[in-house]
């Protein structure tokens, strides 16, 4: 039986209203299981006028720098966002609004920033985007580093095994775990494994930054209390269980243990070099009452000085700080500043209302019943497409994912409009089962959410206008063949599941922005060298000035970049402490 389009949309509109009634749940519905919070931030009243090292940003690069250098002298870390603990994150749509970054709420956790030819999704808080990311700890194929933009020294370290040592060191702190072999795969991963096998591909469970069972309601390797994963699937809006190995569970508390001062609500504007050779960092102080608004502090420090400055504010953040420092601080950098921006080939897609039950609906931090499905972490693993291609840029991965509880009902409502007309009574029943109650046998729990990651041309450019506004200029991205290849790959999985494939309707959106302060052999080809030291166009480098984050990666990686950012930062810190290059 087929519904006519008009009849289906009439029913959809009515059903959407019903489904939206479940959006107003509050924290009272939550089963709070995380009880030992470790406060990491330092009161701004303790901020000194001078530190031996200042680190701007607490993402993967900045956290490594703070941890690795905290015992080399006085150090402070400056983070724009707020500190969050398990139990603080939103679980229902009614709770999300105060966490959205906006012109009125500079300290919001969730950022969705439109820059013209690209939109960037980011997390702002102590721990950066690690608080809300997909958590895959993957390593690029070896030949990705053969792409011409990478400095020779990185390739040499790869060939001699040194680079793999930094990956191991990063894993030792981040503690990624792999889905236990003895456990059956959750529905979404099993479905993807089945469709991959039908396509002649292999589904690989990936290491992810999740504590499956290593720490069982006890303190971890840096003294922070962790619970084991409850497999609720709610990783992408923040883990309220305390099982996700975010940076505030490892590198940042390690820096704190070593004496680092950690300040939140500090929005760095620019820096300049003093006649003494020190750097002066100018910033605004912000605070928030967690009700959706941020307020600037009128009084208090406006700048601090340092002998060593490490800029690790994230790809967009670091580019902005360097560009403002050129304009307002008289600094000079490579003409390549802002160049080689990449979205890492990111895109999303969905196979809607298929034949297999996938259980992608997260249920959050609540007491589960014996018949509740196992969602698993946000992602379990991935398939590699075109794995035997001799060109690394031809390959891409497709990862499974889950839908955070906060947007489950909203997404169900939206899928009525774009999910296609069902062609069987069974499909109709699954759709309307979704809107009448939270039903494991509904259409969304028979859908598959895909994240595709590949190689775009990495030729975007971040620009600052005379008025201080930023945009990404990237004309070539509109016709980049990577999107067609990844969409075709995701559709192949969707077709094998008997689902209706829905392409990303939002255009170029990335959760993995890279580049702009790219590594290069010299000042004519990059902003920093292979040690993350900032080139000086007048010759040599700016002494004791570094950039360590995703902005230094000169080309897309074809896989999630967090572990590579961490490994490159570990390498840079090691070379600060034990130089082995002239």
């Amino acid at each position: 039986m087929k519904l006519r389009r008009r009849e289906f949309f009439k029913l959809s509109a009515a059903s959407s209203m019903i489904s939206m009634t479940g959006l107003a749940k509050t924290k009272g519905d939550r089963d709070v299981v995380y009880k030992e919070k470790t406060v990491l931030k330092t009161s701004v009243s303790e901020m000194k006028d001078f530190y031996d090292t200042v680190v701007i940003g607490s993402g993967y690069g900045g956290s490594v720098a703070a941890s690795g250098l905290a015992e080399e002298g006085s150090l402070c870390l400056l983070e724009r966002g707020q500190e969050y603990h398990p139990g603080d994150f939103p679980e229902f749509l009614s709770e999300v609004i105060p966490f959205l970054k906006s012109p009125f709420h500079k300290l919001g956790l969730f950022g969705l920033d439109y820059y013209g030819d690209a939109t960037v999704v980011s997390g702002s808080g102590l721990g950066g985007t690690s608080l809300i990311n997909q958590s895959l700890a993957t390593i690029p194929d070896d030949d990705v580093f053969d792409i011409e933009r990478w400095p020779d020294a990185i390739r040499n370290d790869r060939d001699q095994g040194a680079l793999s040592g930094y990956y191991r060191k990063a894993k030792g702190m981040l503690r990624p775990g792999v889905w236990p072999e003895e456990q059956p795969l959750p529905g979404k991963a099993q479905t993807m494994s089945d469709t991959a096998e039908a396509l002649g591909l292999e589904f690989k469970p990936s290491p992810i930054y999740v504590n499956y069972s290593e720490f069982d309601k006890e303190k971890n390797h840096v003294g922070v209390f962790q619970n084991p994963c409850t497999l609720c699937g709610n990783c992408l809006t923040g883990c309220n269980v305390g099982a996700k190995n975010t940076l505030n569970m490892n590198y940042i508390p390690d820096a704190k243990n070593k004496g680092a001062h950690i300040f939140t609500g500090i929005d760095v504007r620019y820096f300049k070099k003093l006649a003494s050779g020190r750097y002066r960092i100018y910033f605004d102080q912000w605070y928030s009452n967690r009700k959706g608004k941020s307020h600037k502090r009128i009084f208090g420090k406006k700048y601090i000085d340092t002998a060593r400055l490490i800029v690790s504010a994230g790809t967009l953040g670091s580019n902005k700080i360097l560009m403002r420092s050129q304009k307002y601080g008289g600094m000079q950098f490579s003409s390549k500043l802002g160049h080689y921006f990449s979205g890492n080939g990111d895109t999303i897609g969905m196979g809607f209302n298929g034949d297999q039950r996938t259980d992608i609906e997260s249920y959050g931090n609540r007491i589960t019943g014996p018949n509740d499905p196992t969602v698993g972490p946000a992602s379990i693993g991935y398939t590699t497409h075109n794995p035997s291609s001799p060109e690394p840029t031809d390959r891409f991965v497709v990862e499974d994912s889950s839908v955070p509880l906060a947007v489950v009902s909203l997404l169900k409502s939206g899928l009525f409009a774009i999910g296609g007309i069902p062609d069987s009574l069974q499909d109709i029943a699954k759709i309307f089962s979704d809107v009448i109650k939270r039903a494991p046998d509904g259409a969304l729990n028979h859908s598959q959410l895909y994240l595709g990651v590949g190689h775009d041309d990495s030729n975007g450019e971040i620009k600052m206008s005379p008025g201080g506004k930023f945009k990404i200029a990237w004309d070539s991205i509109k016709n980049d063949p990577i999107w067609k290849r990844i969409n075709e790959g995701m559709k192949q999985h969707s077709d094998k599941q008997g689902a209706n494939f829905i392409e990303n309707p939002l255009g170029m959106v990335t959760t993995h922005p890279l580049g702009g302060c790219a590594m290069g052999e010299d000042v004519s080809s990059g902003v920093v060298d292979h040690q993350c030291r900032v080139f000086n166009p007048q010759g040599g480098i700016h002494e004791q000035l570094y950039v360590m984050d995703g902005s230094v990666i000169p080309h897309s990686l074809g896989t999630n970049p967090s572990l590579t950012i961490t490994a490159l930062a570990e390498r840079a810190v090691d070379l600060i402490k034990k130089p082995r290059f002239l």
Side-chain angles (χ1 to χ4, degrees):
M1 171 188 172
K2 279 192 176 183
L3 280 181
R4 285 178 295 189
R5 184 175 294 270
R6 180 178 298 178
E7 294 169 337
F8 178 71
F9 283 116
K10 281 182 179 178
L11 285 169
S12 296
S15 301
S16 297
M17 295 300 293
I18 297 172
S19 71
M20 297 292 281
T21 61
L23 300 179
K25 294 180 180 179
T26 64
K27 290 186 179 181
D29 300 295
R30 189 175 297 165
D31 172 32
V32 179
V33 296
Y34 190 87
K35 303 184 185 301
E36 295 189 28
K37 297 182 179 180
T38 301
V39 176
L40 300 173
K41 68 180 180 180
T42 308
S43 169
V44 291
S45 65
E46 297 183 39
M47 186 181 288
K48 301 175 183 178
D49 294 331
F50 171 83
Y51 288 89
D52 294 312
T53 301
V54 170
V55 179
I56 303 172
S58 63
Y60 287 97
S63 296
V64 169
S67 168
L69 297 171
E71 293 178 318
E72 301 291 309
S74 61
L75 180 146
C76 81
L77 183 152
L78 306 177
E79 166 58 45
R80 182 189 64 194
Q82 303 176 88
E83 181 174 10
Y84 298 96
H85 299 99
D88 292 341
F89 298 103
E91 295 211 343
F92 303 108
L93 187 61
S94 57
E95 298 174 350
V96 168
I97 302 301
F99 288 82
L100 298 179
K101 186 158 75 78
S102 72
F104 307 103
H105 192 21
K106 201 173 187 72
L107 304 184
L109 171 63
F110 304 107
L112 182 66
D113 297 301
Y114 174 71
Y115 290 103
D117 288 333
T119 299
V120 176
V121 179
S122 61
S124 179
L126 189 60
T129 302
S130 78
L131 299 173
I132 59 170
N133 65 4
Q134 185 96 328
S135 296
L136 268 72
T138 47
I139 299 175
D141 295 331
D142 272 356
D143 57 357
V144 166
F145 296 104
D146 289 329
I147 294 172
E148 186 178 2
R149 289 180 189 168
W150 285 98
D152 287 340
I154 298 294
R155 277 188 283 274
N156 291 339
D157 269 14
R158 175 204 61 187
D159 296 342
Q160 295 168 12
L163 191 59
S164 62
Y166 292 118
Y167 277 108
R168 287 193 297 272
K169 188 173 183 181
K171 287 183 176 180
M173 184 64 85
L174 294 170
R175 292 293 217 276
V178 181
W179 183 261
E181 288 185 7
E182 66 276 11
Q183 296 293 329
L185 288 171
K188 60 191 175 76
Q190 185 60 59
T191 298
M192 197 161 179
S193 178
D194 292 344
T195 58
E197 183 178 3
L199 294 169
L201 301 170
E202 181 184 3
F203 177 79
K204 298 179 181 179
S206 170
I208 60 174
Y209 307 126
V210 167
N211 173 45
Y212 283 116
S213 59
E214 182 179 6
F215 304 108
D216 187 4
K217 300 179 182 179
E218 59 186 319
K219 290 184 177 181
N220 67 12
H221 55 303
V222 296
V224 177
F225 181 84
Q226 285 197 263
N227 285 313
C229 181
T230 60
L231 310 179
C232 73
N234 222 31
C235 311
L236 299 180
T237 48
C239 178
N240 279 320
V241 174
K244 189 176 180 182
N245 296 338
T246 49
L247 293 165
N248 57 346
M249 293 285 180
N250 38 69
Y251 277 107
I252 299 175
D254 186 59
K256 178 83 170 182
N257 293 343
K258 294 173 180 177
H261 283 184
I262 297 167
F263 301 106
T264 60
I266 306 296
D267 182 27
V268 172
R269 307 305 297 161
Y270 68 96
F271 61 88
K272 68 180 182 182
K273 186 181 288 185
L274 304 176
S276 64
R278 293 179 173 181
Y279 295 96
R280 178 161 291 173
I281 304 118
Y282 294 87
F283 52 81
D284 295 326
Q285 293 189 38
W286 293 81
Y287 67 96
S288 173
N289 57 8
R290 298 275 178 95
K291 294 182 179 179
K293 288 186 179 181
S294 301
H295 307 277
K296 186 186 293 189
R297 295 185 189 275
I298 305 301
F299 304 103
K301 287 186 185 296
K302 301 297 182 184
Y303 64 83
I304 56 174
D305 295 344
T306 186
R308 180 193 292 131
L309 176 58
I310 299 174
V311 183
S312 304
T315 292
L316 271 298
S318 291
N319 275 274
K320 290 176 181 180
I321 290 172
L322 264 63
M323 289 181 184
R324 287 194 297 258
S325 297
Q326 280 193 145
K327 183 177 178 65
Y328 305 117
M331 299 295 300
Q332 295 183 13
F333 304 118
S334 166
S335 62
K336 292 299 182 182
L337 178 60
H339 289 250
Y340 306 144
F341 176 83
S342 169
N344 206 36
D346 284 1
T347 190
I348 57 173
M350 175 173 276
F352 178 63
N353 203 7
D355 298 332
Q356 280 183 267
R357 184 166 145 181
T358 56
D359 295 328
I360 66 170
E361 294 182 31
S362 305
Y363 53 78
N365 182 13
R366 66 175 179 82
I367 298 173
T368 59
N371 298 320
D372 280 340
T374 296
V375 182
S379 183
I380 301 292
Y382 62 94
T383 60
T384 300
H385 292 246
N386 306 322
S388 59
S389 173
E391 292 295 327
T393 52
D394 288 342
R395 304 173 210 135
F396 62 90
V397 299
V398 176
E399 304 167 5
D400 70 311
S401 194
S402 57
V403 179
L405 176 61
V407 297
V408 163
S409 294
L410 191 64
L411 185 60
K412 287 177 179 179
S413 302
L415 287 171
F416 285 128
I418 61 175
I421 307 301
D423 57 6
S424 71
L425 283 173
Q426 183 180 18
D427 285 346
I428 295 169
K430 284 188 289 184
I431 289 174
F432 287 101
S433 178
D434 269 349
V435 298
I436 293 172
K437 58 181 179 178
R438 181 181 174 86
D441 56 350
L444 189 57
N445 262 343
H446 284 77
S447 302
Q448 187 76 289
L449 182 61
Y450 306 109
L451 174 64
V453 181
H455 288 279
D456 53 42
D457 67 16
S458 306
N459 281 325
E461 183 179 356
I462 303 168
K463 296 182 174 182
M464 186 175 79
S465 72
K469 302 293 185 182
F470 293 88
K471 72 172 185 178
I472 297 171
W474 199 359
D475 288 341
S476 61
I477 194 61
K478 301 177 180 67
N479 300 312
D480 195 315
I482 185 62
W483 312 123
K484 183 177 180 181
R485 288 202 298 269
I486 294 181
N487 278 325
E488 286 176 350
M490 292 190 293
K491 187 176 185 303
Q492 289 172 352
H493 283 279
S494 178
D495 289 347
K496 291 297 182 182
Q497 192 199 348
N500 178 40
F501 181 64
I502 303 170
E503 289 186 14
N504 171 20
L506 302 176
M508 171 48 191
V509 179
T510 180
T511 59
H512 302 137
L514 304 172
C517 301
M519 287 184 175
E521 292 291 354
D522 53 41
V523 71
S524 68
S525 60
V527 177
V528 303
D529 69 1
H530 67 94
Q531 301 181 61
C532 295
R533 303 180 301 180
V534 178
F535 287 122
N536 185 342
Q538 301 303 311
I541 61 169
H542 289 288
E543 294 292 340
Q544 299 299 317
L545 178 60
Y546 300 81
V547 178
M548 295 184 200
D549 56 25
S551 70
V552 306
I553 294 178
H555 198 280
S556 55
L557 294 173
T559 190
N560 297 47
S562 59
L563 194 61
T564 297
I565 295 169
T566 307
L568 291 174
E570 286 279 14
R571 180 180 184 274
V573 168
D574 190 47
L575 292 174
I576 290 174
K577 296 194 289 188
K578 296 178 293 183
R580 54 186 171 92
F581 297 93
L582 294 178

